[in-house]
Amino acid sequence: MGKKGKKEKKGRGAEKTAAKMEKKASKRSRKEEEDLEALIAHFQTLDARKTQVTETPCSPPSPRLNASLSAHPEKDELILFGGEYFSGQKTLLYNELYVYNIKKDTWTKVDIPGPPPRRCAHQTVVVPQGGGQLWVFGGEFASPDGEQFYHYKDLWVLHLATKTWEQVRSAGGPSGRSGHRMVAWKRQLILFGGFHESTRDYIYYNDVHSFNLDTFVWSKLSPSGTGPTPRSGCQMSVTPQGSIVIYGGYSKQRVKKDVDRGTQHSDMFLLKPEDGGEGKWTWTRISPSGVKPTPRSGFSVAMTPNHQVLLFGGVCDKEEEESLEGMFFNDLYFYDAARSRWFLGQLKGPKSEKRKRRRARAEDHEGARELERGAASAPEPLEVVKEVVAEDGTVVTIKQVLTAPGSASCPPPEEEDGAVEAGPRVEPCPRSSAMLAVKHGLLYVYGGMFEAGDRQVTLNDLYCLDLHKMEEWKVLVEMDAETQEWLEDTDSEEDSSSAEGAEGGDEDQDEDSGEETGEEEEGSHS
């Protein structure tokens, strides 16, 4: 009996210890948020100095990732808001608003009184009513050392016609988070997933919320069926049929003390409104055919003119016990919801170059070679299909296209002739967390990041691709990554001001901060 009593006491003691530890961790988390709230309040007092709208022509924005890039619903403009930058020593966060005029190829910095606090990995949605509105929810703020995080749960709207910010206060909305996804569906904003992180803990979400744009009321949806597991940084898009597609994303879980394992999801779900049931939805898991994206996180998403989903870039992290190595991508995938099919976006190359190559080949190859080339261009490309099991148990189909020599859809054989090649193909370098927007059938890719050894290179280049022609990328803003200053991490804070040169914004932004955890695009997001 005595031994049993001791065991019970010991068990209760362990429970008490665990409860104390949890209470301490909760206090630390609250203390972190209070510290960051004070910093956010400081920046807001600086922002409060702006009392009128000013529009200043400027050079392209400084390098950043996990910002938002949106197409104006009425004007030939792209709107860039927020984002983050890491110099190697210091994390900077932005709430700047930039407008890119597509026809004039010019940038303007727009300062509007009372903007949202600085953030990254938020979500924006543009709706056409009232001359155009840009809705912003959530996102993340971090301390300059990138060690403490604050997640917003605020909702803002930028009235594009009057250039005014408004915070919309409505009870019952989602908890604070970043890396979530949000789309406009009819007269509602539908929000899914995301994550919340403190120094010692994190949580991923798979909840669904709706915000009514007429009543300004939040509702939590409870779809029937089995939906996606908790995740951030997924693809979320509305299909022409009125359903919502969720693909991929990232999550991590603790496998043992101080050891986390990340999962790059590659499953796909359909969130469908039930007929006649107001506010009732159903989850269905789907398995599209075609060439699916290889496993990755940090990819970016946009909608094409024919209502297909476009997925660009990202990173595939290979995690070892003590290391994390990423393979970055710059490929394009399209998802056709009407056919429930993925396909790889392949560029055709400029027409003038193709004509030159065809002429050169015609001169060089006579007789049997000419017949062989003509015959080779006729058959369909050969597809080799491999199935790979992803970490979360889903089967990923990787399809390799092997094209016969001479086929117009296979540029490498044509490019072997250096005499007629106009030069190396222009394209965005592989990256994650880039910002995408589509306007008039043109895809714009801005910024993002990639890693070179221990160095994180943040980009501010701008590329454009005509989605109707799919011929070639055009570079609108160039960037030489070699010129970006990278400051080695040190224990001292003596060099904290040295990040200012790379920041490129207002002087009052120098202490700014914000960092997305490594998986994000995310986009965020992207």
Side-chain angles (χ1 to χ4, degrees):
M1 288 294 289
K3 286 184 180 177
K4 188 179 176 185
K6 282 184 180 177
K7 281 185 181 178
E8 285 177 354
K9 280 186 180 179
K10 190 175 180 182
R12 284 198 294 271
E15 284 175 16
K16 282 183 180 178
T17 303
K20 281 182 182 177
M21 294 293 286
E22 190 176 332
K23 196 172 179 182
K24 279 184 181 178
S26 180
K27 275 186 178 178
R28 280 195 298 263
S29 183
R30 281 201 302 274
K31 180 68 168 63
E32 284 176 22
E33 294 212 341
E34 286 168 8
D35 292 345
L36 293 181
E37 281 173 358
L39 190 56
I40 291 166
H42 164 67
F43 286 130
Q44 284 184 289
T45 59
L46 297 177
D47 289 331
R49 297 174 186 170
K50 301 164 187 172
T51 56
Q52 60 184 15
V53 177
T54 59
E55 300 184 43
T56 312
C58 62
S59 55
S62 58
R64 64 194 62 201
L65 67 152
N66 291 321
S68 56
L69 186 66
S70 310
H72 195 295
E74 295 182 356
K75 299 180 180 179
D76 291 331
E77 294 176 348
L78 304 180
I79 304 160
L80 181 72
F81 172 72
E84 63 173 302
Y85 172 81
F86 181 55
S87 68
Q89 285 183 350
K90 190 176 179 184
T91 302
L92 304 174
L93 196 73
Y94 307 107
N95 65 346
E96 302 165 317
L97 188 73
Y98 290 95
V99 172
Y100 175 68
N101 187 303
I102 293 172
K103 287 186 177 177
K104 295 180 181 177
D105 187 27
T106 57
W107 288 92
T108 302
K109 187 172 185 290
V110 184
D111 286 307
I112 299 174
R118 300 151 200 231
R119 68 191 63 205
C120 66
H122 52 283
Q123 277 287 280
T124 57
V125 168
V126 171
V127 293
Q129 54 255 39
Q133 297 173 344
L134 178 78
W135 289 84
V136 181
F137 178 83
E140 181 176 307
F141 183 86
S143 57
D145 62 6
E147 293 295 325
Q148 297 177 342
F149 307 97
Y150 182 89
H151 297 267
Y152 295 103
K153 57 179 179 180
D154 51 355
L155 180 67
W156 294 76
V157 58
L158 172 62
H159 300 280
L160 298 173
T162 58
K163 293 186 173 66
T164 52
W165 280 110
E166 176 191 356
Q167 183 173 3
V168 179
R169 301 181 189 275
S170 175
S175 57
R177 65 189 65 196
S178 59
H180 50 287
R181 291 296 177 258
M182 187 168 73
V183 295
W185 182 85
K186 296 186 177 179
R187 298 281 296 168
Q188 300 175 48
L189 304 177
I190 307 291
L191 184 146
F192 169 80
F195 75 102
H196 183 285
E197 181 170 21
S198 62
T199 304
R200 292 168 181 80
D201 202 10
Y202 54 82
I203 181 172
Y204 284 79
Y205 301 105
N206 63 346
D207 49 355
V208 186
H209 297 262
S210 163
F211 180 77
N212 189 302
L213 293 172
D214 295 318
T215 62
F216 282 20
V217 172
W218 279 107
S219 303
K220 185 173 182 180
L221 305 182
S222 300
S224 59
T226 303
T229 54
R231 64 193 61 193
S232 68
C234 61
Q235 166 205 319
M236 184 180 190
S237 51
V238 180
T239 71
Q241 297 79 23
S243 297
I244 294 172
V245 167
I246 301 286
Y247 167 75
Y250 177 92
S251 65
K252 62 182 179 181
Q253 59 187 41
R254 192 142 290 159
V255 290
K256 56 184 179 182
K257 188 179 179 183
D258 298 328
V259 178
D260 300 318
R261 185 180 70 231
T263 298
Q264 294 167 120
H265 300 279
S266 52
D267 46 4
M268 199 161 188
F269 295 83
L270 200 63
L271 180 60
K272 191 175 180 181
E274 292 183 9
D275 294 333
E278 186 66 31
K280 291 188 176 179
W281 297 74
T282 303
W283 282 117
T284 308
R285 182 162 176 165
I286 57 176
S287 298
S289 59
V291 185
K292 298 169 187 169
T294 55
R296 66 189 64 196
S297 59
F299 53 78
S300 307
V301 172
M303 293 296 292
T304 70
N306 58 353
H307 304 292
Q308 292 179 344
V309 181
L310 180 154
L311 186 151
F312 169 80
V315 59
C316 180
D317 288 330
K318 294 183 179 177
E319 297 186 39
E320 303 295 337
E321 191 71 28
E322 296 294 330
S323 66
L324 181 69
E325 192 173 327
M327 176 185 292
F328 290 80
F329 304 101
N330 63 349
D331 47 1
L332 284 170
Y333 288 87
F334 294 86
Y335 174 68
D336 186 334
R339 294 187 288 170
S340 191
R341 183 178 180 84
W342 281 102
F343 58 95
L344 184 64
Q346 293 179 308
L347 302 189
K348 300 170 186 174
K351 286 182 180 176
S352 58
E353 284 185 29
K354 284 196 282 186
R355 278 198 295 270
K356 283 181 188 176
R357 294 178 192 136
R358 279 199 295 270
R359 202 158 44 238
R361 283 201 305 273
E363 291 168 2
D364 292 343
H365 305 288
E366 303 285 348
R369 293 282 291 173
E370 180 68 21
L371 291 172
E372 180 185 325
R373 185 166 57 86
S377 62
E380 289 286 318
L382 178 66
E383 294 181 342
V384 178
V385 180
K386 295 179 183 177
E387 289 192 342
V388 178
V389 180
E391 283 190 63
D392 59 350
T394 58
V395 177
V396 180
T397 303
I398 299 178
K399 196 171 286 189
Q400 184 179 11
V401 181
L402 304 177
T403 317
S407 170
S409 64
C410 184
E414 298 180 352
E415 291 171 359
E416 285 174 4
D417 188 347
V420 295
E421 176 57 49
R425 174 176 285 178
V426 173
E427 60 183 2
C429 69
R431 66 190 67 195
S432 73
S433 308
M435 286 64 76
L436 301 192
V438 174
K439 184 72 177 179
H440 298 317
L442 300 177
L443 167 67
Y444 295 88
V445 175
Y446 188 88
M449 61 82 72
F450 67 89
E451 292 165 353
D454 293 333
R455 179 184 174 192
Q456 176 178 306
V457 179
T458 308
L459 303 161
N460 75 328
D461 47 3
L462 178 64
Y463 285 81
C464 177
L465 175 66
D466 189 326
L467 295 173
H468 295 298
K469 297 178 181 178
M470 288 294 290
E471 289 181 356
E472 60 178 335
W473 287 97
K474 291 182 180 176
V475 58
L476 302 177
V477 176
E478 285 190 272
M479 175 181 175
D480 183 1
E482 294 297 319
T483 63
Q484 187 173 113
E485 185 179 18
W486 179 254
L487 305 171
E488 291 300 325
D489 190 20
T490 60
D491 292 332
S492 70
E493 297 180 6
E494 62 186 11
D495 212 6
S496 62
S497 62
S498 58
E500 295 169 15
E503 183 268 320
D506 297 337
E507 293 101 30
D508 63 24
Q509 302 238 79
D510 296 340
E511 297 173 10
D512 208 348
S513 54
E515 182 182 47
E516 183 56 54
T517 54
E519 88 279 9
E520 296 298 330
E521 39 198 12
E522 264 151 336
S524 167
H525 33 180
S526 24

